[in-house]
Amino acid sequence: MSKIVIVYASLTGNTEEMAELIAEGVRSTGATADLKMVEDCNAICLLEYDAYLLGAYTWGDGEIPDEFEDFLDEMKELDLQGTRSTVFGSGDTTYRLYCGAVDEVEQRLKDSGVVVVQESLKVEYGPSGEEKVLCREFGANFAKSLEGLHQA
């Protein structure tokens, strides 16, 4: 059974809601999912888990929130080569870069040698009824992608 952490930044609660729904999906597979707000943890905590999901809202013209930048800077100090992750977040299509923070976080993970196991999940504002289902499926699919990693 995989042990997964979901680290997120949320300003209005939209990305937090996504994180909670994704955690439900992870747990539906029998894996464990710990939720942590980015400002309440250090990047080194990622090493305590089999895999991790990172969630960030996008603000301004596609920027990563300041509190998430600090976490990403801490991640640079770690050897995350080959670890497994994916990214999710909320945004607003009225801006030039829709969910630009999600794309930027994903690129930084790839640049660090992290295996991004599935396409990022983007939601405008907060998840609607159909998007809530997608969030749960996103978490379940992520957990299922890790099955077999612990078997020798």
Side-chain angles (χ1 to χ4, degrees):
M1 175 178 4
S2 295
K3 185 177 170 189
I4 298 167
V5 65
I6 302 168
V7 179
Y8 66 93
S10 189
L11 183 65
T12 61
N14 294 333
T15 307
E16 180 176 23
E17 183 179 5
M18 290 179 72
E20 290 168 351
L21 292 163
I22 290 166
E24 287 177 22
V26 167
R27 293 177 186 131
S28 74
T29 69
T32 62
D34 292 340
L35 284 164
K36 296 180 183 277
M37 291 186 69
V38 73
E39 58 267 21
D40 295 337
C41 66
N42 295 315
I44 198 159
C45 84
L46 299 177
L47 301 176
E48 300 169 18
Y49 293 87
D50 298 313
Y52 48 95
L53 296 101
L54 302 179
Y57 63 91
T58 299
W59 69 283
D61 288 323
E63 288 101 30
I64 295 171
D66 290 340
E67 63 271 28
F68 219 92
E69 279 288 358
D70 295 340
F71 188 84
L72 292 170
D73 286 343
E74 291 174 12
M75 287 178 67
K76 289 180 193 173
E77 306 300 317
L78 304 174
D79 179 10
L80 297 172
Q81 185 84 25
T83 59
R84 288 169 161 61
S85 185
T86 195
V87 185
F88 65 94
S90 58
D92 182 340
T93 55
T94 62
Y95 288 97
R96 185 177 60 81
L97 290 175
Y98 172 62
C99 286
V102 172
D103 296 334
E104 180 63 24
V105 171
E106 182 176 308
Q107 188 57 54
R108 291 193 199 183
L109 288 175
K110 289 177 179 177
D111 291 347
S112 297
V114 173
V115 177
V116 178
V117 299
Q118 68 191 43
E119 187 177 327
S120 298
L121 177 64
K122 300 175 182 179
V123 169
E124 184 164 22
Y125 309 122
S128 65
E130 184 177 306
E131 290 166 331
K132 288 179 182 184
V133 172
L134 286 176
C135 287
R136 288 185 191 100
E137 289 174 354
F138 184 78
N141 290 338
F142 181 75
K144 288 175 187 173
S145 77
L146 304 174
E147 291 174 2
L149 290 179
H150 303 296
Q151 300 167 357

